């Protein structure tokens, strides 16, 4: 009851802020709204005596909504960014408007930042840094300062670093807003059947999980460290180094990046960077990280990318990361490669193999639907083809074929749309298919070619060998257990007869004897598979 009351209060406040920005019942969307929402419109227009006269709002529905969400604070900014990844829920146009939502807020005072650093790291700021600047960037969860480390050991050099500090009280504010989101998602899923396919509760859970990771800067530092190891040999991508000695839960210190922001295209052109190459690099880096490592930067917009003097992409802000397991990587690689090569039947088959589409549906009907979406984009100029719009059209097919939302793939889908936008920002004529094809083809050859199948078969044989090596020990343990049972007494004082114990042991041996031919048959099958792959 208290949870419901708290959630209602918070959501009512949010509704009134949205109403003030004409973003709660926008005129442009009223034709699509349920009758119950339209009936509540008069309540949203009530103005209390202490409230100021509402300002006239300009812009379309998406722009007004983005402004309102920014006014509501960090959790709603994140919600807006998250909804921008789901055109299947809110529509393509609205998702496009929300994708421009900037994660910017006024900075908090310098005195509070210093206090957080000292309390979190456990040392005075003067012992950690010889200088600490005013905030140079402020976002919904944290703000960033430029600093210079203070040498504390003989021979140690001072270095320029970036210090990220969490906002005061941000954990409590997010916890309250997320509680409201969960409460609303539960009501929607319980009372509005068409929304269940979209799994609103799991969507909020995905949002909550990503936010929890952002609330502990040690986890972000660990993500940076892991990606730095993964990409150490990648020539066109780099990750700043972490200063672990000056990093804690609420403050993180990393290498300072001297580079041109990816958002400043004019400066990049003036510096002589190859913009077409940068467009290819951002797409190929993302696909390489996702397919090769199963671990990718899930917030790769222009504000989180810099270009260093060597032309390398340098990523910052690793608060939102994505992981996909080997099976999902294979499915996604085959789906994308199938779209690139226009093999729609194979793309459809992979959807069924992965369980994305119920087996009660027709593979060929689904392939036909995919063809209707993809064929119109082929042969058109690259600047007219949008990966974001293509994904949005694919999402529209999901309802027809009863496809359920895959929360584990939401971040991947979102990042694909974002990096396409970055590539087009670098090079308006960028062709995402041409950039993606060599990475996908190489990955599939490595993971699905003959050599990969041999490795899988060998791994299976090794696993079987390990099982076989433990069989004598298992039999010995079974015999000892039977003898112990013969000597034991249960709670009611009933002793198991020795002849029964012997019968148990003989049964164990007989069972193994019957299974022996099957085990050797399995070993023979693995050997035949290896030979078939080799020859």
């Amino acid at each position: 009851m208290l949870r419901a009351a708290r959630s209602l209060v918070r959501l009512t406040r949010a509704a009134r802020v949205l109403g003030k920005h004409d973003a709660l019942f926008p005129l442009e969307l009223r034709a699509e709204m349920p009758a119950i929402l339209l009936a509540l419109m008069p309540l949203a227009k009530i103005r209390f005596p202490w409230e100021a006269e509402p300002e006239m709002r300009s812009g379309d529905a998406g722009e007004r909504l983005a402004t309102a969400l920014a006014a509501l604070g960090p959790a709603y900014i994140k919600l807006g960014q998250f909804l921008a990844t789901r055109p299947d829920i809110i529509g393509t146009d609205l998702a496009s408007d929300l994708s421009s939502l900037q994660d910017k807020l006024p900075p908090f005072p310098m005195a509070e930042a210093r206090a957080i650093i000292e309390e979190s790291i456990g040392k005075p700021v003067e012992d950690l840094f010889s200088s600490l600047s005013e905030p140079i960037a402020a976002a919904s969860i944290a703000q960033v300062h430029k600093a210079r480390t203070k040498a504390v050991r003989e021979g140690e050099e001072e270095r320029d670093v970036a210090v990220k500090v969490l906002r005061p009280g941000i954990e409590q504010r997010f916890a309250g807003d997320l509680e409201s989101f969960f409460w609303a998602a539960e009501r929607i899923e319980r009372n509005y059947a068409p929304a269940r396919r979209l799994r609103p509760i799991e969507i909020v859970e995905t949002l909550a999980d990503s936010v929890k990771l952002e609330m502990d800067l040690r986890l972000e530092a660990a993500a940076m460290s892991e990606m730095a190891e993964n990409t150490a040999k990648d020539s066109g991508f780099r990750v700043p180094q972490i200063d672990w000695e000056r990093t804690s839960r609420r403050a993180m210190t990393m290498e300072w990046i001297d580079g041109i922001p990816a958002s400043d295209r004019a400066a990049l052109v003036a510096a002589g960077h190859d913009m077409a190459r940068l467009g290819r690099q951002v797409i190929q880096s993302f696909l390489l990280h996702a397919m090769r490592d199963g671990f990718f930067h899930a917030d790769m917009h222009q504000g989180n990318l810099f270009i260093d003097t060597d032309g390398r992409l340098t990523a910052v802000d690793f608060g939102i990361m994505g992981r996909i397991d080997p099976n999902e990587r294979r499915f996604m690689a085959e789906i994308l490669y199938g779209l690139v090569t226009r093999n729609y039947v194979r793309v459809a088959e992979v959807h069924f193999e992965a369980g994305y589409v119920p087996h009660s549906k027709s593979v060929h009907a689904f392939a036909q639907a995919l063809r209707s979406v993809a064929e119109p984009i082929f042969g058109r100029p690259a600047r007219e083809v949008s990966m974001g719009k293509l994904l949005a059209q694919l999402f529209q097919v999901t309802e027809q074929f009863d496809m359920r939302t895959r929360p584990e793939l939401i971040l991947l889908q979102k990042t694909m749309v974002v990096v396409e936008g970055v590539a087009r920002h670098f090079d308006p004529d960028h062709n995402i298919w041409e950039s993606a094809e060599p990475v996908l083809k190489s990955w599939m050859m490595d993971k699905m070619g003959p050599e990969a199948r041999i490795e899988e078969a060998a791994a299976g044989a090794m696993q079987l060998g390990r099982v076989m090596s433990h069989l004598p020990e298992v039999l010995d343990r079974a015999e000892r257990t039977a003898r112990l049972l013969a000597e034991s007494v249960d709670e009611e004082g009933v002793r198991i007869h020795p002849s029964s114990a012997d019968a148990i042991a003989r049964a164990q041996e007989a069972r193994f004897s019957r299974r022996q031919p099957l085990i050797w048959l399995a070993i023979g099958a693995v050997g035949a598979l290896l030979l078939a792959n080799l020859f």
Side-chain angles (χ1 to χ4, degrees):
M1 183 63 71
L2 286 176
R3 176 172 176 260
R6 289 194 303 265
S7 298
L8 280 171
V9 169
R10 294 191 193 101
L11 293 172
T12 300
R13 170 185 168 272
R16 292 191 59 75
V17 172
L18 291 167
K20 289 178 184 179
H21 289 80
D22 193 20
L24 185 60
F25 301 106
L27 180 63
E28 301 92 325
L29 303 178
R30 286 175 193 171
E32 304 172 15
M33 288 185 180
I36 189 171
L37 286 181
L38 295 176
L40 295 173
M41 281 180 60
L43 297 177
K45 294 183 177 180
I46 296 175
R47 183 169 62 87
F48 296 108
W50 58 83
E51 291 183 324
E53 187 73 25
E55 300 177 14
M56 294 297 292
R57 301 294 173 185
S58 60
D60 61 22
E63 291 172 346
R64 297 195 305 274
L65 178 58
T67 303
L69 294 176
L72 283 168
Y76 285 86
I77 291 173
K78 288 293 180 188
L79 177 63
Q81 293 175 331
F82 202 70
L83 287 175
T85 71
R86 298 310 311 274
D88 56 326
I89 296 177
I90 63 176
T92 305
D93 293 338
L94 190 56
S96 177
D97 288 331
L98 287 180
S99 67
S100 65
L101 185 67
Q102 295 298 307
D103 195 11
K104 295 179 179 178
L105 286 177
F108 54 90
M110 190 70 180
E112 291 187 67
R114 292 174 66 92
I116 291 171
I117 292 170
E118 292 183 349
E119 180 183 357
S120 185
I121 298 179
K123 293 181 180 180
V125 168
E126 290 75 14
D127 290 351
L128 298 168
F129 308 106
S130 58
S131 66
L132 182 69
S133 77
E134 292 288 330
I136 59 172
S140 61
I141 289 179
Q143 67 185 28
V144 178
H145 304 254
K146 184 176 182 179
R148 189 163 181 82
T149 61
K150 187 172 184 178
V152 295
R153 300 178 185 86
E154 185 177 349
E156 183 179 354
E157 294 183 1
E158 294 188 352
R159 295 167 288 109
D160 288 333
V161 293
V163 183
K164 185 173 183 178
V165 186
L166 285 184
R167 284 185 173 274
I170 191 70
E171 298 94 336
Q172 293 79 9
R173 185 165 183 180
F174 257 103
D177 286 335
L178 285 172
E179 179 184 60
S180 303
F181 294 167
F182 272 114
W183 184 84
E186 289 164 4
R187 305 283 85 69
I188 292 169
E189 196 160 305
R190 180 181 301 171
N191 300 303
Y192 187 54
R196 291 170 192 159
R197 180 185 66 85
L198 302 174
R199 300 158 82 174
I201 293 175
E202 291 193 41
I203 289 174
V204 176
E205 284 175 348
T206 304
L207 173 63
D209 289 342
S210 70
V211 167
K212 286 176 184 175
L213 294 177
E214 291 188 82
M215 294 298 172
D216 188 337
L217 295 179
R218 295 169 300 187
L219 297 178
E220 179 176 348
M224 292 179 69
S225 177
E226 182 177 350
M227 180 157 273
E229 290 181 6
N230 292 345
T231 61
K233 296 181 180 179
D234 295 354
S235 59
F237 189 90
R238 65 175 293 230
V239 176
Q241 295 297 311
I242 289 292
D243 184 338
W244 286 103
E245 191 173 355
R246 295 172 176 84
T247 292
S248 62
R249 187 176 67 85
R250 308 198 77 235
M252 179 179 71
T253 304
M254 74 194 87
E255 172 189 1
W256 178 260
I257 298 301
D258 282 318
I260 301 173
S263 57
D264 194 346
R265 190 178 188 279
L268 291 170
V269 172
H273 289 289
D274 183 341
M275 303 307 291
R277 184 193 65 79
L278 288 177
R280 291 192 301 273
Q281 187 64 53
V282 70
I283 295 293
Q284 293 179 351
S285 293
F286 160 68
L287 287 174
L288 192 62
H289 303 160
M291 297 296 113
R292 179 192 65 191
D293 308 324
F295 186 57
F296 59 93
H297 193 305
D299 202 16
M300 278 181 64
H301 58 73
Q302 290 97 320
N304 287 338
L305 292 172
F306 293 83
I307 312 301
D308 68 13
T309 54
D310 296 324
R312 292 177 297 180
L313 291 171
T314 305
V316 296
D317 197 349
F318 287 71
I320 305 176
M321 303 298 294
R323 289 188 188 273
I324 47 178
D325 64 33
N327 280 337
E328 297 291 354
R329 281 183 252 171
R330 181 175 69 81
F331 294 142
M332 291 305 298
E334 282 210 72
I335 287 169
L336 291 174
Y337 190 67
L339 289 173
V340 168
T341 57
R342 301 163 79 171
N343 188 347
Y344 305 114
V345 172
R346 181 55 191 153
V347 173
E349 289 172 347
V350 174
H351 276 79
F352 280 77
E353 290 170 12
Y356 299 159
V357 181
H359 286 282
S360 59
K361 301 296 180 179
S362 165
V363 171
H364 291 285
F366 187 61
Q368 182 179 347
L370 292 174
R371 181 182 291 273
S372 73
V373 171
E375 276 300 309
I377 72 171
F378 288 104
R380 292 174 58 189
R383 65 170 62 241
E384 296 179 11
V385 178
S386 167
M387 183 65 155
K389 289 183 179 178
L390 175 63
L391 286 174
Q393 288 175 290
L394 287 172
F395 286 142
Q396 292 171 8
V397 175
T398 64
E399 186 170 6
Q400 179 184 354
F401 287 88
D402 294 334
M403 294 173 65
R404 299 189 71 196
T405 296
R406 305 284 299 198
E408 71 274 17
L409 298 180
I410 287 176
L411 284 176
L412 182 72
Q413 294 165 346
K414 168 222 172 184
T415 310
M416 288 174 66
V417 176
V418 171
V419 296
E420 186 223 11
V422 176
R424 292 291 176 82
H425 167 75
F426 289 144
D427 176 18
D429 292 320
H430 178 78
N431 188 322
I432 188 173
W433 305 113
E434 291 179 1
S435 296
E437 183 174 8
V439 176
L440 296 170
K441 186 175 182 179
S442 175
W443 187 89
M444 290 177 70
M445 288 297 294
D446 288 344
K447 299 298 181 183
M448 301 174 68
E451 291 183 6
R453 290 199 297 270
I454 291 171
E455 289 178 5
E456 289 179 4
M462 290 177 65
Q463 180 66 27
L464 188 58
R466 283 194 291 269
V467 172
M468 289 290 295
S469 70
H470 289 298
L471 281 175
E473 180 184 345
V474 171
L475 290 172
D476 184 58
R477 190 182 300 121
E479 184 179 357
R480 288 200 307 271
T481 301
R483 287 174 180 167
L484 285 171
L485 285 171
E487 298 170 0
S488 65
V489 178
D490 65 9
E491 292 180 357
E492 297 179 3
V494 179
R495 182 181 296 276
I496 298 177
H497 195 278
S499 62
S500 298
D502 289 339
I504 291 172
R506 287 195 301 274
Q508 297 269 4
E509 293 178 6
R511 198 173 296 122
F512 173 64
S513 297
R514 288 194 297 271
R515 288 178 180 172
Q516 262 189 321
L518 295 177
I519 292 170
W520 289 115
L521 180 62
I523 293 173
V526 171
L529 180 60
L530 283 168
L531 289 172
N533 279 308
L534 284 169
F535 301 105

